[in-house]
């Protein structure tokens, strides 16, 4: 956690400024006439001034050792409120529940927190006009609360309970819409004193992950129901590297109460390592991720899948420029066929820092492999595994996902004020292979590729505006328009242009 050192209060700077030397404050006689005793009686005692100065200095010292309240993290277990063991650092009205001491020495404590999110969204021609339609929109609600127990000696317990509900959608809830009450996280954490030069932490139980940019493993915060895994993970910090190893099963989300078991058909394991590199203004990621799925479905059909993902990512910023480039290769097998797939994704941006709103423009490009068909002798559909819930664009919409795709895009972002940010995006999509279909964010097949030889899928214009009203409250509006291309219009059921709108308000504590 980065600790910012606030400036001393303005009153201190006034006292010690060159225009008001300390000597003049304490020794300058008061105006007027009279006896020396009368003048002394009207001159503040040096003890009064010393007391006032010590109080001001104490306040400045408290400001200097107390960090600003940390921003709320995507993974709430990443937040650290240990600095609140000093009562003088409690400034936010919710700080009393962020550090509840469990021992006289204050080395054991409890942190409480959570989130309430109300989300309204509406589609015109959802799924390009196929399936149940709902022109009036629907309401999504998510309520989450957690408790974080730091029990000393490197032992920690973390639990998170969530409720995700849907109201008013024709066709009922999708898998990511509703889980009326479920255990989102529940893990025990232990520090392992293995080496003096390395820190090792082990977590057992249900937990959430986000690696790198979220292209392969993400908590999926945009949709109403987040993504969790059951299993074991270990975090290693050594030699500037931060690495996470895991062996898990994804959680199956279902709409009722406490009916979210592990997916026994799927095993997910891997190692993801990150290192900061100062010369790059950022760092590098190296990773291996493996998955065994006994019932994977693609345009080629359904079968057993074992996939090994090897990748590298470079990211950072230099001056006004920033970049995020990632290269991935996948090997393994699908339905008895050898598997070979790839992905290359880049984003390069430039920020005009001299302009008041600090606008940023960026260009994005991505290429992911598709299957070459039975004649190829191999299986080539790329899989994004467990990706972010918002893969393309600036709106919280995921019409199409990463497999079998060529994509180009541009974004524009600007700070309209200190608390309001505007984002605009424009993305174009093609099929990489004409023998493969179009997939959704979860890797689910949306349109088969066997009905059309057209390559162009369509393009999407999207915009969002986010207002961070306070540290606890943020509000967002988003809109997107997807213009269907020849591949969709030539399908057996012709696709239609899609419009999407959403609004949400969120309170975090």
């Amino acid at each position: 956690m980065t600790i910012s050192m606030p400036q001393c209060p303005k009153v201190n700077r006034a006292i010690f400024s060159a225009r008001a030397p300390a000597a003049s404050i304490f020794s300058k006689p008061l105006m007027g006439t009279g006896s020396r005793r009368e003048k002394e009686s009207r001159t503040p005692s040096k003890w009064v001034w010393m007391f006032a100065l010590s109080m001001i200095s104490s306040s400045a010292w408290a400001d200097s050792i107390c960090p600003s309240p940390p921003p709320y993290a995507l993974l709430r277990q990443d937040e650290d409120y240990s600095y609140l063991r000093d009562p003088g650092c409690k400034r936010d009205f919710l700080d009393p529940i962020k550090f509840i001491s469990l021992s006289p020495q204050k080395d054991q404590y409890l942190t409480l927190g959570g989130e309430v999110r109300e989300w309204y969204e509406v589609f015109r021609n959802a799924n390009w006009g196929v399936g149940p339609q709902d022109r009036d929109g629907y309401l999504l609600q998510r309520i989450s609360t957690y408790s974080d127990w730091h029990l000393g000696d490197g032992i920690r317990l973390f639990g998170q309970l969530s409720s995700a509900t849907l109201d008013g959608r024709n066709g009922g809830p999708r898998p990511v819409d509703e889980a009326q009450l479920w255990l989102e996280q529940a893990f025990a954490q232990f520090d392992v004193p293995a080496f003096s030069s390395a820190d090792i932490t082990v977590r057992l139980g249900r937990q959430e992950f986000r690696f790198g940019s979220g292209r392969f493993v993400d908590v999926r915060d945009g949709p109403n129901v987040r993504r969790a895994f059951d299993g074991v993970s270990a975090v290693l910090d050594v030699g500037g590297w931060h690495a996470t190893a895991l062996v898990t099963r994804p959680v199956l989300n279902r709409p009722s109460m406490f009916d979210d078991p592990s997916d026994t058909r799927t095993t997910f394991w891997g190692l993801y390592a990150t290192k900061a590199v100062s010369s790059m203004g950022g760092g590098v990621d190296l990773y291996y991720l493996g998955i065994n799925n006994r019932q994977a479905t693609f345009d080629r059909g359904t079968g057993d899948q074992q996939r090994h993902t090897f990748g590298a990512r470079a990211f950072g910023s230099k001056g006004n420029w920033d970049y995020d480039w990632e290269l991935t290769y996948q090997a393994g097998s699908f339905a008895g066929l050898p598997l070979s797939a790839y992905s290359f994704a880049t984003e390069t941006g430039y920020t005009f820092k001299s302009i008041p709103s600090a606008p940023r423009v960026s260009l994005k490009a991505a290429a992911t492999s598709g299957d070459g068909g039975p004649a190829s002798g191999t299986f080539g559909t790329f899989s994004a595994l467990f990706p972010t819930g918002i893969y393309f664009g600036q709106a919280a919409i995921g019409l199409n996902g990463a497999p079998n795709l060529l994509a180009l895009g541009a974004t524009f972002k600007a700070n309209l004020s200190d608390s309001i940010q505007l984002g605009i995006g424009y993305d174009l999509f093609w099929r990489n292979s004409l023998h493969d279909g179009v997939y959704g964010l979860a890797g689910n097949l949306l349109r088969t590729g066997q009905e059309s030889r057209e390559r162009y899928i369509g393009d999407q214009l999207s915009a969002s505006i986010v207002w961070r009203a306070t540290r606890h409250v943020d509000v967002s509006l988003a809109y997107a328009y997807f213009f269907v291309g020849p591949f969709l219009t030539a399908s057996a059921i012709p696709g239609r242009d899609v419009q999407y709108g959403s609004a949400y308000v969120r309170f975090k504590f």
Side-chain angles (χ1 to χ4, degrees):
M1 179 181 68
T2 301
I3 297 178
S4 60
M5 305 298 283
Q7 295 286 339
C8 293
K10 293 182 178 179
V11 63
N12 282 15
R13 294 196 294 269
I15 288 177
F16 293 105
S17 67
R19 289 175 295 179
S24 66
I25 293 175
F26 294 118
S27 61
K28 186 176 179 179
L30 297 178
M31 298 298 293
T33 59
S35 66
R36 179 181 178 184
R37 182 181 298 273
E38 289 173 341
K39 291 182 180 180
E40 288 181 349
S41 66
R42 287 179 288 175
T43 304
S45 166
K46 65 179 181 179
W47 302 109
V48 175
W49 284 110
M50 291 178 65
F51 176 77
L53 181 59
S54 67
M55 293 299 293
I56 294 171
S57 300
S58 297
S59 174
W61 174 251
D63 283 348
S64 67
I65 64 174
C66 293
S68 300
Y72 290 115
L74 181 65
L75 303 178
R76 301 302 299 272
Q77 61 265 34
D78 290 345
E79 297 169 9
D80 183 1
Y81 295 96
S82 59
Y83 72 94
L84 292 176
R85 63 169 43 92
D86 180 356
C89 292
K90 293 183 178 181
R91 302 171 182 174
D92 190 275
F93 75 103
L94 289 173
D95 280 349
I97 68 170
K98 294 302 179 183
F99 190 94
I100 302 172
S101 180
L102 302 177
S103 66
Q105 296 79 19
K106 297 184 179 182
D107 58 341
Q108 302 179 33
Y109 66 94
L110 167 65
T111 294
L112 302 176
E115 170 192 272
V116 178
R117 190 182 76 170
E118 302 290 338
W119 185 303
Y120 170 81
E121 68 179 19
V122 60
F123 277 95
R124 294 291 183 269
N125 300 320
N127 195 20
W128 298 302
V130 176
Q133 301 298 311
D134 191 332
R135 297 182 62 86
D136 298 326
Y138 43 89
L139 181 66
L140 298 162
Q141 181 186 78
R142 184 167 74 202
I143 300 175
S144 177
T145 183
Y146 75 85
S147 61
D148 188 2
W149 302 76
H150 296 259
L151 302 180
D153 296 324
I155 300 175
R156 178 188 184 192
L157 302 177
F158 187 93
Q160 188 170 4
L161 191 65
S162 294
S163 171
T165 57
L166 166 74
D167 183 39
R169 183 179 184 272
N170 290 340
R174 298 160 296 185
V176 296
D177 287 338
E178 189 163 81
Q180 294 179 13
L181 191 62
W182 71 295
L183 193 61
E184 185 174 332
Q185 295 195 86
F187 63 80
Q189 175 179 305
F190 308 93
D191 291 345
V192 180
F195 307 98
S196 59
S197 60
D199 294 326
I200 302 177
T201 299
V202 175
R203 289 178 178 174
L204 303 171
R206 180 164 294 185
Q207 49 199 297
E208 295 175 332
F209 303 98
R210 187 183 194 274
F211 297 145
S213 61
R215 290 191 179 106
F216 292 94
V217 181
D218 188 84
V219 73
R220 194 180 60 192
D221 188 58
N224 210 29
V225 181
R226 290 172 44 133
R227 178 184 289 120
F229 298 84
D230 288 332
V232 57
S233 67
V235 178
L236 171 67
D237 287 288
V238 60
W241 286 94
H242 178 81
T244 301
L246 69 154
V247 179
T248 65
R249 294 185 185 275
V251 173
L252 289 173
N253 293 115
R254 294 172 177 167
S256 298
M257 300 176 64
F258 296 115
D259 62 343
D260 303 271
S262 303
D263 183 358
T264 57
R265 301 171 303 176
T266 304
T267 304
F268 177 57
W269 67 92
L271 175 67
Y272 200 102
T274 299
K275 184 174 184 178
V277 181
S278 58
S279 61
M280 299 172 55
V284 295
D285 294 349
L286 299 175
Y287 54 89
Y288 160 72
L289 302 170
I291 189 170
N292 189 344
N293 186 343
R294 296 203 298 269
Q295 195 173 4
T297 299
F298 300 92
D299 205 1
R300 176 79 76 97
T302 300
D304 290 349
Q305 170 191 226
Q306 187 169 85
R307 190 179 296 258
H308 306 282
T309 301
F310 305 88
R313 171 177 174 248
F315 60 94
S317 61
K318 283 288 187 179
N320 291 13
W321 292 94
D322 63 86
Y323 62 95
D324 189 338
W325 290 36
E326 192 162 5
L327 178 64
T328 309
Y329 177 73
Q330 295 180 332
S333 63
F334 170 74
L337 295 170
L339 186 155
S340 179
Y342 66 86
S343 169
F344 179 61
T346 73
E347 180 173 9
T348 304
Y350 185 89
T351 301
F352 296 87
K353 297 180 180 179
S354 60
I355 299 177
S357 60
R360 174 184 178 269
V361 294
S362 67
L363 295 177
K364 299 182 294 182
T368 62
S369 62
D371 186 37
S376 66
T378 62
F379 180 69
T381 304
F382 173 78
S383 172
L385 303 180
F386 305 98
T388 175
I390 306 173
Y391 213 88
F392 299 106
Q394 299 301 303
I397 180 176
L399 292 179
N400 54 317
N404 188 34
L405 198 66
L406 298 173
L408 290 175
T411 63
F412 170 84
K413 292 185 178 181
N415 299 310
L416 303 184
S417 72
D418 291 340
S419 60
I420 299 177
Q421 185 180 69
L422 170 70
I424 300 174
Y426 185 68
D427 298 274
L428 303 97
F429 308 104
W430 298 263
R431 287 193 297 161
N432 194 350
S433 170
L434 299 183
H435 299 279
D436 205 349
V438 173
Y439 296 83
L441 279 176
N444 52 308
L445 182 66
L446 296 178
R447 292 286 193 282
T448 179
Q450 313 309 314
E451 300 174 352
S452 172
R453 299 297 295 171
E454 298 289 347
R455 187 179 299 275
Y456 189 54
I457 302 170
D459 47 291
Q460 175 178 283
L461 176 66
S462 59
S464 69
I465 187 166
V466 179
W467 174 35
R468 306 197 183 283
T470 70
R471 176 173 173 262
H472 303 284
V473 178
D474 60 288
V475 181
S476 177
L477 299 173
Y479 175 80
Y481 196 108
F482 192 101
F483 304 87
V484 294
F487 169 74
L488 291 168
T489 57
S491 297
I493 302 177
R496 299 178 179 177
D497 290 354
V498 179
Q499 292 188 69
Y500 170 85
S502 69
Y504 79 73
V505 58
R506 176 171 55 189
F507 173 73
K508 285 190 174 184
F509 63 95

